[in-house]
């Protein structure tokens, strides 16, 4: 299945969404903001990145650009 990076500052979103994706057989790596996500994408190639737009430190648009 897919290796997915899930970027969201809200635990109430990140937790259940990653649980649902993992129940479908995917592997999820989690980041609380764009800055943490940048560190992860430097070392790993993801099949899919799901990112919130509004986050502290570095928002989703800045991370994806």
């Amino acid at each position: 299945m897919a290796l997915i990076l899930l970027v969201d500052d809200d635990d109430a979103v990140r937790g259940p969404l990653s649980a649902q994706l993992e129940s479908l057989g995917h592997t999820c790596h989690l980041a609380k903001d764009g800055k943490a996500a940048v560190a992860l994408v430097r070392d790993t190639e993801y099949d899919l990145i799901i990112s919130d737009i509004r986050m502290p430190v570095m928002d989703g648009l800045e991370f994806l650009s």
Side-chain angles (χ1 to χ4, degrees):
M1 291 290 184
L3 177 57
I4 300 170
L5 174 58
L6 180 55
V7 188
D8 198 305
D9 61 315
D10 189 345
D11 291 335
V13 172
R14 204 174 51 249
L17 183 53
S18 66
Q20 179 67 30
L21 291 167
E22 289 175 349
S23 76
L24 296 171
H26 303 293
T27 300
C28 291
H29 291 178
L30 308 177
K32 288 189 173 192
D33 56 53
K35 185 175 179 181
V38 166
L40 291 172
V41 298
R42 285 185 182 143
D43 298 327
T44 306
E45 187 173 321
Y46 292 94
D47 298 306
L48 176 66
I49 297 174
I50 301 172
S51 179
D52 187 8
I53 297 297
R54 295 183 188 172
M55 296 180 289
V57 183
M58 179 188 291
D59 67 31
L61 293 176
E62 186 178 357
F63 161 62
L64 294 172
S65 63

